[in-house]
């Protein structure tokens, strides 16, 4: 049972470089999310998707882009990396079923450092 | 204003003692859900317990219980008989409303340290 898989787990970028964080889930969940976690802080929502082809901005979308071409995949694109994007990134998914809490299932996180 | 407030940056407890981690929330929605997650030093996010706004009973899951006081807008996590493995960061989170796909809003977390 893979659940939510994120790659890479660690990455160092130089200022101005671009990269894509990959996220895939095998639970057939419609809803997927990208959060970032800064030291000593909670998780802040970057982008989310309610289904293939549908994405929307969260609290901190600037500097990021997403796409959702399939139910399984929800990549996060960083364009022109900046030191402020140094963070741990979590991808999560959830399903909505009657009587169920609808908790988020998280990937293991991707630690990104921008130097 | 913060939607989720966790006022305790750090808590210290000895093994076998009970500990309460505080969480207050702010919402005008009648329907909402409250979640607690555990994040050990390895970094993964582990779902612990859930309380729906319409649930009349406090949620319990093994050694975890949620002390839900709706009028006070608080949803404190109680861990009974603490174990060394409970040392971790704990996050309170809220889902506002019933709209499908609504993301969770997280507090800043409380670091729990359990000593022997």
């Amino acid at each position: 049972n893979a659940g939510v898989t994120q790659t890479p787990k660690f990455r160092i970028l130089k200022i101005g470089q671009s990269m894509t964080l990959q996220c895939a889930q095998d639970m057939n969940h419609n809803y997927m999310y990208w959060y970032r976690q800064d030291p000593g802080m909670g998780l802040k929502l970057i982008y989310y998707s309610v289904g293939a082809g549908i994405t929307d901005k969260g609290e901190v979308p600037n500097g990021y882009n997403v796409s959702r071409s399939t139910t399984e995949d929800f990549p996060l694109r960083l364009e022109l990396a900046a030191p402020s994007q140094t963070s741990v990134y979590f991808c999560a998914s959830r399903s909505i079923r009657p009587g169920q809490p609808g908790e988020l299932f998280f990937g293991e996180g991707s630690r990104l450092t921008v130097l | 204003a913060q939607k989720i407030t966790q006022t305790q940056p750090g808590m210290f407890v000895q093994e076998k003692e009970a500990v309460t981690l505080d969480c207050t929330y702010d919402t005008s929605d009648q329907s909402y859900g409250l979640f607690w997650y555990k994040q050990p030093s390895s970094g993964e996010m582990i779902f612990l317990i859930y309380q729906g706004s319409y649930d009349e009973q406090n949620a319990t899951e093994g050694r975890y219980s949620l002390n839900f006081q709706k009028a006070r807008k608080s949803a404190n996590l109680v861990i009974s008989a603490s174990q060394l493995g409970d040392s971790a960061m704990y996050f309170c989170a809220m889902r506002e409303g019933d709209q499908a796909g609504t993301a969770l809003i997280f507090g800043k977390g409380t670091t729990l340290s359990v000593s022997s």
Side-chain angles (χ1 to χ4, degrees):
Chain A
N1 293 345
V4 179
T5 303
Q6 289 182 235
T7 56
K9 289 186 170 45
F10 302 93
R11 182 74 186 266
I12 298 175
L13 280 181
K14 293 183 179 178
I15 294 172
Q17 287 186 320
S18 300
M19 74 160 298
T20 299
L21 298 176
Q22 302 290 345
C23 176
Q25 53 93 8
D26 62 358
M27 297 173 282
N28 202 32
H29 288 172
N30 284 332
Y31 310 108
M32 296 188 73
Y33 310 84
W34 274 105
Y35 286 90
R36 60 176 285 173
Q37 181 182 21
D38 298 323
M41 304 292 286
L43 280 70
K44 294 188 176 180
L45 182 67
I46 305 171
Y47 270 95
Y48 67 99
S49 169
V50 299
I54 307 170
T55 63
D56 209 346
K57 296 178 181 179
E59 182 184 0
V60 289
N62 291 345
Y64 307 96
N65 273 303
V66 293
S67 59
R68 185 97 181 269
S69 57
T70 66
T71 299
E72 294 78 18
D73 300 301
F74 189 40
L76 177 72
R77 178 84 177 159
L78 281 75
E79 304 283 1
L80 298 174
S84 61
Q85 293 178 303
T86 294
S87 190
V88 179
Y89 292 84
F90 285 98
C91 179
S93 70
R94 65 193 288 229
S95 68
I96 310 296
R97 295 178 183 171
Q100 297 299 310
E103 74 272 25
L104 294 178
F105 292 82
F106 283 89
E108 293 183 340
S110 298
R111 185 177 295 274
L112 176 67
T113 302
V114 182
L115 300 175
Chain B
Q2 287 189 30
K3 293 279 188 178
I4 296 288
T5 302
Q6 295 180 255
T7 57
Q8 306 154 313
M11 289 287 285
F12 298 86
V13 68
Q14 290 204 311
E15 268 186 304
K16 302 180 185 177
E17 291 183 349
V19 62
T20 297
L21 305 183
D22 294 341
C23 173
T24 57
Y25 60 91
D26 181 24
T27 182
S28 57
D29 285 333
Q30 296 301 307
S31 178
Y32 52 89
L34 298 156
F35 301 77
W36 278 91
Y37 280 83
K38 173 184 179 181
Q39 186 179 44
S41 58
S42 51
E44 72 267 32
M45 296 288 287
I46 303 168
F47 167 65
L48 295 177
I49 196 167
Y50 167 80
Q51 180 87 38
S53 58
Y54 294 121
D55 294 340
E56 294 184 352
Q57 302 271 0
N58 285 343
T60 61
E61 288 288 346
R63 294 186 299 110
Y64 304 108
S65 60
L66 201 152
N67 184 0
F68 182 45
Q69 298 189 36
K70 198 169 183 177
R72 294 185 177 184
K73 293 190 175 180
S74 74
N76 298 338
L77 178 69
V78 181
I79 305 174
S80 63
S82 298
Q83 302 172 356
L84 293 177
D86 293 334
S87 294
M89 177 82 87
Y90 289 81
F91 291 99
C92 179
M94 176 174 65
R95 182 206 72 240
E96 283 187 289
D98 281 330
Q99 191 170 10
T102 300
L104 300 191
I105 302 166
F106 286 82
K108 292 185 178 181
T110 296
T111 301
L112 176 65
S113 299
V114 181
S115 59
S116 58

